[in-house]
Structure formats: structure tokens, C-alpha cells
Amino acid sequence: ILDNAVLYNPQPFLGFFSSINPFNAQKATIYKGSIPAELGGRLSSVFDITTKNGNPEKFSGEGAIGPITSNLSVSVPIEKNKSSILFGGRATYSDWVLKALENDDLANSQASFYDGILKYNNALNKNNFLESTLYYSHDKFSLSSDSIYSYSNRLASIKWDHSFDEKNKGAVILTNSEYKYDIDYNTTLKNAFVSGFKL
């Protein structure tokens, strides 16, 4: 669960990287059993991730460059002390690393991944708070074979928190999620095929 929306495949790049950009994560809760009722009575374990809100006071950011991937997070205030936008992105350049190898099979392989998250938050007044999250990720790999595997996640969520008084609070949440998976046979033969599904 990412900001109240379902993330169907939280294992980018064959599970080598974290579910989302670590610079954008604020809190993560793992439920191995006794899943709370608000999570829909799921039978499997649940990984509930909450992302950071942007900094409404000043422009800020952080990033990192690694041997096969880089990530960046930038926060921009819209209205000082009231609203802001947070953007985070990651990408891997593993294709370049594979092509530099001397092994022909690996040099002809491909493996790429990128994701991005955009979050808007606004303290409308002392009793109302609005936040919205957009997320997209895409993986594509083909390791020593003619088949190209790719999958993507897309989600959007909007949450409105309202305080009726000191003891009573409520929230309205709208979410939408999509997961796509495709297998493409990379050949000019007549028996080439494309297989996939969307959830």
C-alpha cells in the first residue's frame, strides 16, 4: 500500500531495489498477520508505505549516484507554510554496464528500471488538510534470451482529512491503481508473439 493506494508489484528491477525511492519514504509498516480491517481483510502480508510531505517553508532536495542507479528528491514550496510539491525519481543505467561486459550473452542482454513519484500537500486551514500522490514505475529486462519482459505500476491517490473537533476526525480517500505485464518475443520469425495482462 503506497499512500493508501495498492501497489501490485513492489519489487522493481527483479527485487534488487527498494519499493520506492528511499528519499521519499517517511514511514513503513509491515503486517505479517492479523491484517487490520481498514486494509480490506487481505490474506497475505501487507507492506504499508507512507511518503514524505514536501517542505512548505523552503526549497530543498537530496540525491545519490551509485554504480548502477541514481535517485533524486526535490521539494518546492507553492504557498509558504501552507502547500508544497515533492518530486522523487530513480533510474538505472545497467544497460550501459551490461554492454561493457566481455561476455557476448550478457552484452546482448538488457535490464532497465525507472520510477517517479509526485506528491502535493496543502493545509487548507486548521481543520482541513489535502494531499495527493501520483506514482509510476517501469521495468524491462531480457537476460540471455529472445524474450523481453516488462511490467509497470501506476497509481494515484487523493486524501482529504477533516477535524470536526478535538476528538472527532474523518477522512475521504480516492485511489486508482494499475499493473501491466508483457512478454515480447524479439524476433522476425512468423511465430513471434506478444503476451500480457493488465490489472
Side-chain angles (χ1 to χ4, degrees), residues 183-199:
I183 304 175
D184 185 7
Y185 191 63
N186 186 23
T187 181
T188 57
L189 299 176
K190 293 182 180 180
N191 61 350
F193 68 89
V194 175
S195 175
F197 70 89
K198 180 171 70 172
L199 180 62

Side-chain angles (χ1 to χ4, degrees), residues 16-74:
F16 286 108
F17 297 115
S18 57
S19 301
I20 66 166
N21 189 336
F23 291 155
N24 294 122
Q26 180 183 31
K27 182 178 70 172
T29 305
I30 301 175
Y31 298 96
K32 294 184 177 181
S34 301
I35 310 300
E38 62 266 25
L39 296 180
R42 302 176 188 277
L43 296 177
S44 63
S45 58
V46 175
F47 194 17
D48 189 6
I49 304 171
T50 302
T51 59
K52 295 178 181 177
N53 288 328
N55 188 338
E57 297 181 3
K58 61 181 180 179
F59 177 88
S60 60
E62 55 185 333
I65 298 176
I68 59 173
T69 187
S70 296
N71 53 2
L72 177 69
S73 178
V74 177

Side-chain angles (χ1 to χ4, degrees), residues 71-91:
N71 53 2
L72 177 69
S73 178
V74 177
S75 176
V76 181
I78 304 298
E79 187 174 351
K80 191 170 182 179
N81 297 322
K82 187 176 181 180
S83 62
S84 65
I85 287 181
L86 178 72
F87 169 77
R90 293 185 296 177

Side-chain angles (χ1 to χ4, degrees), residues 147-181:
S147 296
I148 301 174
Y149 302 86
S150 64
Y151 57 90
S152 63
N153 290 285
R154 176 191 56 78
L155 66 81
S157 70
I158 300 175
K159 182 182 181 182
W160 171 37
D161 286 311
H162 176 72
S163 296
F164 297 98
D165 52 46
E166 293 183 358
K167 296 183 179 180
N168 298 290
K169 297 180 180 181
V172 176
I173 302 172
L174 301 175
T175 68
N176 182 270
S177 300
E178 180 185 80
Y179 172 63
K180 289 183 178 180
Y181 180 81

Side-chain angles (χ1 to χ4, degrees), residues 49 93 133-134 182:
I49 304 171
Y93 25 89
T133 301
L134 298 174
D182 293 290

